[in-house]
Amino acid sequence: MVASRRQFLGSAAAVSGAAVTGLVLQPGAAQAVGHSGGAALPNVVVRPDDPRYPELLTRGFNARFVFSPDSIVLAYSAGQVQEAVQRAVKEGRKFTVRSGGHCLEALVADPRFDMLIDVSPMHQVSWDAKMNAFSVGAGSTLAQAYKALYLGWGVTIPGGVCPPVGIGGHTAGGGYGPLSRRYGLISDHLYAVEVVTVDAKGKARIVVATRRPDDPNRDLWWAHTGGGGGNFGVVTRYWFRDPRATGNNPTKALPRPPARLLMTWVTWPWESLSQADFKRLVQNHGAWHAANSGPDSPYVVMHSALHLNMTRDYALYLECRMDATAPNARRMVEDYIAAVSEGVSVQGYVEMNEELWLANALFEYPRSLGARTKSAGSNLRKPLTDDQIDIVYGALTDPDAKNSCLVYLGAYGGQVNAVASDATAVPQRDSILRFWIDSTWADPNADAEAVEWTRRLYRDVHAATGGVPVPNDQYDGCYINYPSKDTKDPAWNTSGVPWHDLYYKDSYPKLQRIKKKYDPLNTFQHAMSIEPA
């Protein structure tokens, strides 16, 4: 991993279903059903003795989590997924599903699963005139979707900045990125979802649920606007359309990104920073976002993030993406940098370049192969306190740490906060920042110490509320695409507040009822799945 400009995950979860064991489908046995995208290609089943097996198995983002399923099924259609799920249920198998492979916890790569259904071949992007919305296969990556939507129609979805992340889990968990302050979350643009579910009789079926008020399956659509992946069935396709769009013109059905971005990095070398400088920098950044995160702020056209790296990583960075076509764009960025830098004795080094939007969206920062990671995050309604900043400073300057660490303070709010808390399954609608701790290391022998280090930092930052961000006047819980199983562990969550209330708040009982309705046998499970009512 290049520590100087470390990749932030706009969405990390890649869980969009659940797994199968010892299942071999005959080529061409499953045909597309309903909205599955046409006739299925021959099914591909890969077993451990196949040279393709390690290629598929190790595609996950986090090298800490690798499991050994009996087989990996590459699915090319909803019909094939339906067939695989049906056989798995009949044979009593446990199965998991992967889209992009970027789940940060072992929700997919769990030893209890002995078969993996990989939906990555389902990556087609097209305009569906019948649905009057864009169809995107659940196996599509953000990069594939961005490129197809922009080059084909000049539009986009406001997703994250990590191009290989899969649409499957990213959307189901809410999904946010650099355009979210301007346009809202990716799930705010979800029009419909195609899901393979299992009913009370054990029958796998394909269900299409839309946001139309008269749709009898509308609750299943709602569950996929932030309810997280792997809970209700296997997502095979999404349809996207801006809820404010009118007519049937695809070039106006989704937001249009800025043609050009003013990309800015401000660097403060650690060797020149005092603890007082560090504190002032973080204070200024928090105060600015507290004052500029409303839906009507002129700064919704800008996304920024403060990258607090460890001392061994040379420097701290302020990252800024501004719509270069906005009036006074350069002056707005300069004023923002001045506000964040005020009172800091070290002048930051500023790099400001104009870039084409698509090239910027598709750029992937280098990451070391075999990188191991532990992360956790929270939503901030108010900036970090002075005591919390001191805790972060102490951790980042720890000479004995076995890991590298990024503490990320990413801009939130804007149009995200213009949506009612019950309109989607994402209830966090008044936060100003996303706080995220991401530790990485390469040596498997350092796992225990590095994980413990990260857990302590997260616990200590949230010490006043039992080690986790219990919703109050400062916090608004957690983001399910930054899952951490520690929130279920009373050793690390001493708040007495259940993990699901941190992620889903008041949405959880409704999600449980939907789970019971569409997955009455609790077929789709993982380590942080929703329990049926």
Side-chain angles (χ1 to χ4, degrees), residues 255-317:
R256 300 184 74 85
R260 303 185 312 281
L261 288 177
L262 198 59
M263 187 71 191
T264 305
W265 291 89
V266 187
T267 306
W268 289 273
W270 263 112
E271 63 182 7
S272 303
L273 284 175
S274 66
Q275 183 170 356
D277 288 327
F278 178 92
K279 178 177 285 189
R280 185 62 181 268
L281 190 63
V282 180
Q283 288 172 332
N284 289 347
H285 180 263
W288 187 93
H289 283 85
N292 292 276
S293 292
D296 299 324
S297 169
Y299 275 94
V300 296
V301 296
M302 185 187 82
H303 174 82
S304 70
L306 187 60
H307 297 240
L308 304 176
N309 298 306
M310 298 189 80
T311 50
R312 67 166 63 104
D313 295 330
Y314 169 68
L316 311 181
Y317 295 90

Side-chain angles (χ1 to χ4, degrees), residues 212-402:
R212 292 194 299 263
D214 61 346
D215 188 335
N217 297 315
R218 188 178 191 276
D219 52 356
L220 185 62
W221 161 83
W222 184 89
H224 286 87
T225 62
N231 285 306
F232 310 98
V234 182
V235 176
T236 52
R237 188 196 302 213
Y238 291 113
W239 285 267
F240 294 101
R241 179 180 175 85
D242 191 320
R244 295 158 291 193
T246 59
N248 57 3
N249 184 346
T251 65
K252 297 181 179 180
L254 283 173
R256 300 184 74 85
R260 303 185 312 281
L261 288 177
L262 198 59
M263 187 71 191
T264 305
W265 291 89
V266 187
T267 306
W268 289 273
W270 263 112
E271 63 182 7
S272 303
L273 284 175
S274 66
Q275 183 170 356
D277 288 327
F278 178 92
K279 178 177 285 189
R280 185 62 181 268
L281 190 63
V282 180
Q283 288 172 332
N284 289 347
H285 180 263
W288 187 93
H289 283 85
N292 292 276
S293 292
D296 299 324
S297 169
Y299 275 94
V300 296
V301 296
M302 185 187 82
H303 174 82
S304 70
L306 187 60
H307 297 240
L308 304 176
N309 298 306
M310 298 189 80
T311 50
R312 67 166 63 104
D313 295 330
Y314 169 68
L316 311 181
Y317 295 90
L318 181 67
E319 169 199 3
C320 179
R321 288 175 168 87
M322 165 64 84
D323 179 354
T325 68
N328 302 313
R330 187 173 293 267
R331 173 57 63 85
M332 289 177 70
V333 174
E334 291 171 347
D335 289 347
Y336 168 66
I337 294 172
V340 175
S341 303
E342 184 180 1
V344 179
S345 65
V346 180
Q347 183 174 358
Y349 174 70
V350 180
E351 298 177 78
M352 187 180 297
N353 298 292
E354 201 166 288
E355 300 181 8
L356 296 174
W357 175 80
L358 184 60
N360 182 277
L362 298 183
F363 180 76
E364 182 179 358
Y365 293 106
R367 180 179 176 84
S368 300
L369 292 176
R372 311 172 78 80
T373 184
K374 169 64 180 175
S375 64
S378 58
N379 296 295
L380 299 184
R381 285 172 160 159
K382 292 182 179 179
L384 295 177
T385 66
D386 288 356
D387 287 345
Q388 289 173 316
I389 296 172
D390 287 339
I391 290 169
V392 171
Y393 179 85
L396 298 181
T397 57
D398 181 1
D400 297 323
K402 302 298 183 184

Side-chain angles (χ1 to χ4, degrees), residues 56 59 72-76 81 96-100 116-122 139:
L56 293 169
R59 190 165 57 81
I72 301 173
V73 176
L74 293 175
Y76 291 83
V81 172
T96 189
V97 174
R98 182 180 63 194
S99 171
L116 170 67
I117 300 177
D118 190 326
V119 300
S120 62
M122 303 172 64

